Amino acid sequence: MATTTNMKAWTTLYTLLFLFLFSSHASSDSTCDATPYPAFCRTTLPPQYLSTHDHQCRYFLQQSLSTTKTISQLISSYLRNQYTIPYSTVHALEDCLNLAQLNADFLSNVLQVIENNITMTSYQVHDLQTLLSATLTNQQTCIDGFNEVTPYPLVTSALSSPLSDGTKLYSISLALFTRGWVSNVTESSTTVETILNRKLLQTSVDDVVVTQKVVVNPDGSGDFSTINDAVSAAPNNTGTNNGYHVIYVAAGVYNEYVSIPKSKENLMILGDGINRTVVTGNRSVVDGWTTFQSATFAVVGKGFVAVNITFRNTAGASKYQAVAVRNGADMSTFYNCSFEGYQDTLYVHSLRQFYKSCDIYGTVDFIFGNAAVVLQDCNMYPRLPMQNQFNAITAQGRTDPNQNTGISIHNCNIIAASELGDGTSNYNGIETYLGRPWKEYSRSVYMQCFMDGVVDPKGWSEWSGDFALSTLYYAEFANWGPGSDTSNRVTWEGYHLIDEKDADDFTVDKFIQGHKWLPNTGVPFRARLQ
């Protein structure tokens, strides 16, 4: 009798164990099938983390952070012995280290918020999705940098596996976060104020909270004679809720390569106007820089604002990639500024950005990157490229379907630069397209824009064969002018003519949550379509 009882008990135990293992396996399959890398997910996720979705997401975030630190350590070891490495490869390693350090900060921030908040507001959810999207962007930028320089097998082979694992871990973390938090977020029903007629900032800061104001003037009459000196002296880690440190840059041409690091938050730089205050440089990929490092002006510090300044890269069309501004600063704003270059003029690298009443000049992919960015009331000026080149206004770099990134162009003007000619001269025979897919999930939207005849009737151009044509998202809504006729547009699966409801998703309010942070800048903006 006791033997029979024991057998029944063991049978029950085995049944429960089988059901647990089966349900765990099913849970693992269900979780991982919802990610871009299901096989890697299944082999990485241990059974003890299968109890809840929250635990699964935390586990992959922790693994992401661990791998990021490994990447940083490995790159640092190579940079300590950089005299044995080609100069261009050193540039790529410097980019990767910089970006890995940012990723470690982003992942730590996400983990901290998730562990301390049982419930999150919709704005907190958007914040974390933005940071997780940026980790993938940073990783891809590192990889792209190695593709631009002369291969150095010792370095590239050693970094190949951790970089690949990092990309997969970041992607899975983003997918699980999107499934668990973003898909369940409930937007506030509070009506968003549309701000249309706020006083122009000019060089006054009456509309914003200012903690300190300094002056840059090359004639020696100000606090500093260079922009870099003023930036270096600005306070560190002030946060973004304590007012702006304002740097007024007097009229003049500044031959400087300016970098606003992560530690310089809520920095505002005011110039004397377009073509009066000019920051200029001429770095390019042809001259040995990575695209990332070719920027004349680069910013990472959160809450950055620039007003009334021209940014130039004068390398010229023949030097290929040559960036005027690279922006990787969250909640950053450029107002009444000009960006001048040829290929890759404005690098909207990552995080959330807003451009208002700006002029952008360029040829190939001259607005590119993987930020969540809205350009509003701006002018895009396609100019004369090299022989056998065509113009592409955007080259958006979204690599993952869960990234909340894209280029939204709202109420802007697309007009041929004077050097390109006009319709009567057939624009020198140069084709100009609204965009082309730099990466697999490229996303660009034009809404309520004027397009002159410089825009090719086809509208959009391929990158290479049929790459990304079914996975990209390109859309147009209520545009006007001779180049806006959509009757001969591309017929790709990823191209759309959208209605007002869909277009509203790409407004300042919904796409970059601008109604939450733009009022602090003093810059006017339109929160929705109307």
Side-chain angles (χ1 to χ4, degrees), residues 183-241:
S183 60
N184 294 323
V185 74
T186 302
E187 297 292 347
S188 170
S189 59
T190 303
T191 301
V192 177
E193 179 187 5
T194 300
I195 303 173
L196 291 172
N197 298 310
R198 181 179 282 130
K199 177 184 174 183
L200 298 185
L201 196 56
Q202 301 296 339
T203 55
S204 167
V205 289
D206 295 337
D207 293 343
V208 298
V209 178
V210 175
T211 57
Q212 185 180 9
K213 181 179 178 181
V214 298
V215 176
V216 176
N217 198 318
D219 68 7
S221 64
D223 301 290
F224 303 94
S225 58
T226 71
I227 301 171
N228 276 309
D229 286 345
V231 171
S232 295
N236 293 319
N237 304 314
T238 58
T240 55
N241 297 314

Side-chain angles (χ1 to χ4, degrees), residues 103-173:
N103 279 354
D105 288 343
F106 294 166
L107 290 164
S108 297
N109 290 343
V110 173
L111 275 165
Q112 183 178 11
V113 174
I114 288 178
E115 289 169 357
N116 294 335
N117 289 272
I118 298 173
T119 59
M120 285 185 277
T121 66
S122 63
Y123 189 56
Q124 284 177 308
V125 170
H126 286 305
D127 275 350
L128 300 196
Q129 187 188 20
T130 296
L131 292 180
L132 292 177
S133 295
T135 62
L136 275 167
T137 303
N138 290 341
Q139 185 85 334
Q140 187 61 50
T141 303
C142 166
I143 294 168
D144 287 344
F146 283 119
N147 292 332
E148 290 178 344
V149 301
T150 303
Y152 190 65
L154 177 65
V155 170
T156 53
S157 60
L159 285 171
S160 177
S161 180
L163 287 175
S164 175
D165 287 351
T167 297
K168 292 170 185 174
L169 289 167
Y170 300 157
S171 179
I172 293 167
S173 299

Side-chain angles (χ1 to χ4, degrees), residues 231-490:
V231 171
S232 295
N236 293 319
N237 304 314
T238 58
T240 55
N241 297 314
N242 302 309
Y244 288 94
H245 180 85
V246 177
I247 300 173
Y248 165 62
V249 183
V253 177
Y254 296 81
N255 287 281
E256 297 187 55
Y257 294 98
V258 180
S259 181
I260 313 294
K262 181 178 182 291
S263 61
K264 306 294 183 179
E265 299 173 325
N266 256 36
L267 200 64
M268 180 181 288
I269 298 185
L270 305 178
D272 268 333
I274 289 175
N275 292 330
R276 286 178 51 76
T277 298
V278 179
V279 185
T280 185
N282 63 359
R283 289 177 179 170
S284 70
V285 168
V286 169
D287 288 335
W289 302 93
T290 59
T291 299
F292 192 79
Q293 287 194 19
S294 71
T296 300
F297 189 97
V299 56
V300 179
K302 187 176 182 180
F304 176 79
V305 180
V307 183
N308 296 337
I309 302 174
T310 290
F311 302 94
R312 287 182 185 148
N313 189 312
T314 61
S318 64
K319 293 297 183 73
Y320 294 93
Q321 298 98 319
V323 175
V325 166
R326 186 192 81 235
N327 185 3
D330 197 21
M331 299 190 294
S332 55
T333 307
F334 286 77
Y335 176 44
N336 196 32
C337 290
S338 181
F339 308 86
E340 300 177 11
Y342 287 85
Q343 182 169 341
D344 291 1
T345 302
L346 175 58
Y347 194 172
V348 290
H349 181 259
S350 57
L351 302 168
R352 289 167 294 193
Q353 308 179 14
F354 180 64
Y355 297 78
K356 176 74 171 185
S357 302
C358 292
D359 299 333
I360 306 103
Y361 297 81
T363 55
V364 180
D365 308 334
F366 66 92
I367 303 172
F368 77 111
N370 196 24
V373 54
V374 176
L375 298 103
Q376 193 174 86
D377 300 340
C378 293
N379 302 306
M380 287 77 177
Y381 294 107
R383 60 195 307 186
L384 189 65
M386 289 194 298
Q387 191 173 2
N388 299 320
Q389 284 187 331
F390 59 82
N391 290 330
I393 297 171
T394 66
Q396 205 281 328
R398 188 165 167 254
T399 60
D400 190 287
N402 292 305
Q403 287 179 305
N404 62 351
T405 55
I407 296 174
S408 174
I409 298 177
H410 181 205
N411 200 45
C412 293
N413 300 304
I414 300 166
I415 303 169
S418 58
E419 66 197 71
L420 196 56
D422 55 28
T424 59
S425 62
N426 195 31
Y427 305 102
N428 282 290
I430 301 299
E431 298 167 344
T432 294
Y433 298 101
L434 300 175
R436 59 178 187 149
W438 181 27
K439 303 296 182 184
E440 189 172 1
Y441 294 93
S442 182
R443 180 159 63 174
S444 295
V445 179
Y446 287 79
M447 310 184 298
Q448 299 175 321
C449 294
F450 170 78
M451 301 178 181
D452 81 4
V454 72
V455 176
D456 190 274
K458 181 181 170 184
W460 307 80
S461 177
E462 300 83 355
W463 184 271
S464 178
D466 62 359
F467 169 73
L469 302 188
S470 62
T471 51
L472 60 78
Y473 184 91
Y474 288 165
E476 297 182 56
F477 168 72
N479 299 309
W480 59 289
S484 67
D485 183 358
T486 59
S487 59
N488 292 307
R489 287 294 197 253
V490 295

